[in-house]
Amino acid sequence: MQQVILVIHLLIAIALVGVVLIQRSEGGGLGMGGGGMGNMMSIRGTANLLTRVTAVLAGSFMVTSLVLAILAGGGRVPRIEVENTPAPIEFPADSGGPSVPLSD
C-alpha cells in the first residue's frame, strides 16, 4: 500500500513540476518578453486551465504527503510495559556474610 502511494506521489510531483514550467509568468519573467494587454487576453483561457491543474496537483501532492507520513509513523507507538519489568533486588543492610572491598 505504501509503495503504491509513493509511486502516485512521485508521479504527481513530476506532473506538478511540468505544469509549473509550462506556465507563463504574469510579470514577464524579470522584465523579459514584451507581452502587452492584447497578448495577455488571448492566453487567459490557457492560464485559467493551467492554474486549476496546478491547484489540483498541489492539493493531491499535499494529501499524498500526509498519507505517507501517517503510514510511515503507524505502529511506532512507544509503549512502557510496567507489568513485565523485573522487581528491583533488595539487599539487606547487614546479611552477616563476608564483605568484599570495592576498591582494587
Side-chain angles (χ1 to χ4, degrees), residues 1 4 9 11 17 19 25 27 37 39 54 60 66 69 78 92 94 101 103:
M1 176 75 173
V4 173
H9 184 72
L11 290 174
V17 168
V19 169
S25 66
M37 229 11 196
N39 193 9
T54 303
S60 302
L66 289 174
D94 185 27
S103 63

Side-chain angles (χ1 to χ4, degrees), residues 12-99:
I12 290 172
I14 292 169
L16 185 61
V17 168
V19 169
V20 168
L21 289 176
I22 288 174
Q23 293 181 14
R24 182 179 177 145
S25 66
E26 292 184 26
L30 297 174
M32 292 186 280
M37 229 11 196
N39 193 9
M40 189 172 85
M41 296 304 262
S42 65
I43 60 169
R44 183 176 295 260
T46 305
N48 287 339
L49 175 67
L50 288 175
T51 303
R52 289 184 182 145
V53 170
T54 303
V56 169
L57 286 174
S60 302
F61 184 82
M62 295 284 244
V63 168
T64 56
S65 296
L66 289 174
V67 170
L68 284 171
I70 291 169
L71 288 177
R76 293 188 186 172
V77 178
R79 296 182 184 149
I80 301 174
E81 298 182 15
V82 177
E83 296 85 25
N84 295 334
T85 57
I89 301 173
E90 295 182 19
F91 295 104
D94 185 27
S95 62
S99 63

